[in-house]
Amino acid sequence: MGNSVVTINNLVKRFPVGGDFFTALKNVNLSLEKGEFTGLVGPSGSGKTTLLNVIGGLDSPSEGLVTVLKKSLGETSHNERAELRRKNMGFIFQSYNLLPVYTVFENVELPLILNKVDPQERDKKVTQAIEWVGLSDKINSRPAMLSGGECQRTAIARAIVHQPALILADEPTANLDAENSHHIMKIMVQLNQELSTSFIFATHDEKIMAYLRRIIHLDDGKIVNDEQIDQPKSGN
Amino acid sequence: MLFKIAIKNLLGARLRTWLNVFVTALSFFMIILFSAMYDGMREHAKQVTIDTEIAGGAYWHPQYDPMDPMTFEDAHAVPPSTVKALVNQGKAFPVLVSQASIYPNGRIMPVIMKGITPEQNIVNMPTQMLAGHEEVTIPVLIGRSMAKDARLEVGDAFTIRWLDADRTYDADEGTVVHIMSTENFKLDMGHIWIPLEKAQTMLAMEGEATYVTYAEGLSIVENKGNWIPRDVKYLIRDMEALIEADEPNAAIMYVILLCFAGMGIFNAQVLSIFRRGKEIGTLMALGMTRARVVGLFTLEGGLNALLAAILTIILFGPVLWYFGVNGIWLGVDYSDGAMGLIVEKYLIPVYSVGLVVTTTIVVSIIVLIVSYMPSRRIARMKPTDALRGKVTV
């Protein structure tokens, strides 16, 4: 429990559909430790993204207890969850979700502005994060001028710039080709190893699975398998 | 923090920002111009009346009531000496009013015949055109509309019939010596103007007058006998009443213009904000609170209004200034008084401080409201829905 990043007990998530409810997550129990590189794997509709959203405080559980970074999400207000995300979490989305009117630098800078980081320190951290993902030559480009891989690298830089304890990535390679996918995964593995940042991926991409050290299989809203991998196929 | 992000968003959005700002600036411009035209029309009517008819005010014969022509018969006397002294100093001029009939082209027309000093330069009327003309019996000055109605041209002669002080009807031949073009239809329609001395002789009212109009800037004289001083405020009271009665129309027009402007701004702002649903979801995912999201978009709206005010000054300021100096050609001649108010051919808008300030405040409030409401609605959504772009107007 001391190093626990996420603890989930008896999580149920239902969505209203017409006059009825669709149960997306059924009695999920899960514990993730600091520095884990975990994948939520399963077919479409298995509940991966829903689980990721609940962990990120973007969605609330219908039943059960979810504790993230020692905060019980059920007992926190909207503002407290926003603060938790702002200070301790990073998000990587399948469609990047970069702000189109901002440059690479400005997109990466945004979490630091929200955290009221001093401008000088901000510049340093943003430059460092951009260097890390290898986009120094695109620092003043807007998302429309970037390739898919470059957009996702910008999104990763944005997710890591404030060095959060937990990064949630929803299908981060779904829109990328094989070469870009491997490149991005290598960056994230490096971050995980150097900063001990915990990663949770929602994916059904085989390329990602090769890098994971823990794979949680979901099917029809339930965890059907929780697999620890000592030697990932990628060799990380 | 919000200010910095709002500025970044506005400057970063480039075309979208400028379109929103342009729509708002156009609204500022339209409301200010149309309301100023309306104010200008009313102000002009007042100014023309003062310039051509009232000057600084008048001393009326106690019997005189311009709304009752039956009083003209008895409303004449030699003005009090103090008033006459003003006339002698060229600071006032007398007018003798009577009823008459004219017979142009075989028709009979009732008119108000006014004798006026041709040399006066206190009101803006071409009375000097009545001077000279020894060759004609009665030189007559009429307005363009009157000339049109009576089908008279310069040089045309017609019979004038009047009732003199001895209650004797008399008639003689008047000749049109000048047709004046005046914006004040009250000097034109149903009026004929003749030299004062000629009128006094015709009416057997030597040295007499019905009222004496004095120049602007003079105070009321002492010892004015029973003559009644009428100041500008009194003399334009009917027009003021007309304008006051017109206030609701002006207010309705202002509100209609605001509604049009509001709809334009609402469309531009709402579309802009709802298009940014995914962006709002992203900001919430990055840890921005709902209140700050709403604050950010409302602040952007406020900055939009500020930019619009600046753009209005830069882009439309010269246009407003040009119209303010040269006027706007209406394309229609209302000099026949068909509008019931003096309306110039070139309408000069009047930009009052109140109008500009009120419009700026009201339009800014509209912008803030139409920025606040949709962003509040989006911010209340689940971040997951906003992220998916599940936003409906």
Side-chain angles (χ1 to χ4, degrees), chain B residues 57-61 77-95 122 207-215 218-230:
Chain B
Y59 295 97
W60 283 9
H61 184 280
V78 175
S81 56
T82 48
V83 176
K84 260 169 84 176
L86 288 176
V87 174
N88 294 336
Q89 291 164 28
K91 292 177 181 170
F93 67 89
V95 175
I122 290 167
E208 294 187 5
T210 305
Y211 62 88
V212 176
T213 298
Y214 57 87
L218 296 181
S219 46
I220 308 292
V221 296
E222 304 278 330
N223 305 320
K224 53 192 178 304
N226 58 352
W227 283 49
I228 304 162
R230 300 293 192 195

Side-chain angles (χ1 to χ4, degrees), chain A residues 53 58-59 78-79 82 85-86 91 93 95 97 99 101-102 106 109-110 113-114 116 122 142 158, chain B residues 1 4-5 8-9 12-14 278-279 282 284-290 292 382-384 387:
Chain A
N53 286 339
L58 296 174
D59 221 338
H78 169 82
N79 284 359
R85 285 196 297 273
R86 190 166 66 238
F91 282 87
F93 302 97
S95 51
N97 283 29
L99 303 191
V101 300
Y102 286 14
E106 289 166 341
E109 189 188 22
L110 194 56
I113 294 176
L114 294 176
K116 296 179 181 165
R122 216 157 63 200
R142 287 187 176 212
R158 183 178 66 184
Chain B
M1 179 195 80
K4 185 178 160 60
I5 298 176
K8 256 188 191 178
N9 285 348
R14 294 177 195 175
K278 205 168 176 178
E279 182 182 330
T282 306
M284 289 162 83
L286 293 179
M288 194 178 257
T289 59
R290 282 174 180 160
R292 285 198 164 175
K382 281 196 218 163
T384 46
L387 277 168

Side-chain angles (χ1 to χ4, degrees), chain A residues 146-170:
Chain A
L146 302 175
S147 68
E150 287 168 338
C151 282
Q152 199 56 295
R153 275 146 68 192
T154 307
I156 291 169
R158 183 178 66 184
I160 63 165
V161 70
H162 55 305
Q163 300 192 350
L166 176 64
I167 289 180
L168 304 170
D170 188 8

Side-chain angles (χ1 to χ4, degrees), chain B residues 292-321:
Chain B
R292 285 198 164 175
V293 168
V294 176
L296 173 67
F297 280 80
T298 309
L299 184 60
E300 279 186 34
L303 289 170
N304 180 327
L306 182 69
L307 283 176
I310 295 168
L311 188 69
T312 307
I313 294 167
I314 296 169
L315 202 63
F316 299 113
V319 181
L320 292 171
W321 174 82

